[in-house]
Amino acid sequence: MTTMGLQESKSPSELIDGRIRELGDWRGEMLGRLRALIHQVDPDVVETWKWRGVPVWEHDGMICTGETYKSVVKLTFAKGAALPDPARLFNSSLEGNTRRAIDFQQGEEIDEEAFTALVRAAVALNKSKAKR
């Protein structure tokens, strides 16, 4: 069976678990911690796996994606430009009209209160649009 065939037989949550294990370094730990915070804010969040290997969290639409690169873990909020960000967590993809991202670097602390507020706001925005 090909690798692609194996991936197709796994749930998105299992694929995300695998990605975290496969990274095996600070990036896996960071992605796992951010994932746990997303689930803490929204126990009904749905995990999906898109674009051949990108973890995605959704609730009435996309909340954010979790990409890993050599030097950052990037969480891109699909409707980030519409979200309040008083703590100024968004530090990447600031030029667009829709998305905003947070690049987390090795050793960086997560401002859990500000991060969970962003996730909560993203879920609320998705829910408000879904009701229309």
Side-chain angles (χ1 to χ4, degrees):
M1 183 179 282
T2 66
T3 303
M4 201 57 162
L6 284 174
Q7 283 192 351
E8 288 169 8
S9 66
K10 291 184 177 181
S11 73
S13 293
E14 290 170 326
L15 292 169
I16 295 169
D17 289 342
R19 168 65 46 83
I20 290 168
R21 273 193 312 276
E22 151 192 309
L23 288 165
D25 59 11
W26 71 270
R27 296 169 304 162
E29 290 174 24
M30 179 67 76
L31 186 60
R33 183 71 193 119
L34 294 166
R35 178 193 198 191
L37 289 170
I38 292 167
H39 279 273
Q40 180 182 313
V41 169
D42 184 6
D44 297 325
V45 71
V46 175
E47 293 184 319
T48 60
W49 185 259
K50 296 187 178 184
W51 309 294
R52 296 182 183 215
V54 177
V56 180
W57 291 274
E58 301 182 2
H59 188 144
D60 291 330
M62 190 182 300
I63 299 168
C64 63
T65 63
E67 298 161 84
T68 51
Y69 299 97
K70 192 173 188 172
S71 61
V72 298
V73 173
K74 178 187 284 291
L75 256 67
T76 302
F77 284 74
K79 299 178 185 99
L83 302 177
D85 182 23
R88 302 180 67 97
L89 290 183
F90 290 128
N91 60 10
S92 183
S93 306
L94 301 175
E95 59 287 331
N97 293 332
T98 308
R99 290 186 295 280
R100 292 286 183 274
I102 307 169
D103 286 353
F104 293 94
Q105 300 193 10
Q106 186 171 7
E108 192 172 332
E109 290 293 318
I110 301 169
D111 181 338
E112 291 187 11
E113 188 175 327
F115 179 75
T116 56
L118 268 180
V119 173
R120 207 170 286 112
V123 171
L125 179 62
N126 283 356
K127 284 182 176 180
S128 74
K129 291 186 181 288
K131 286 181 182 171
R132 286 190 208 155

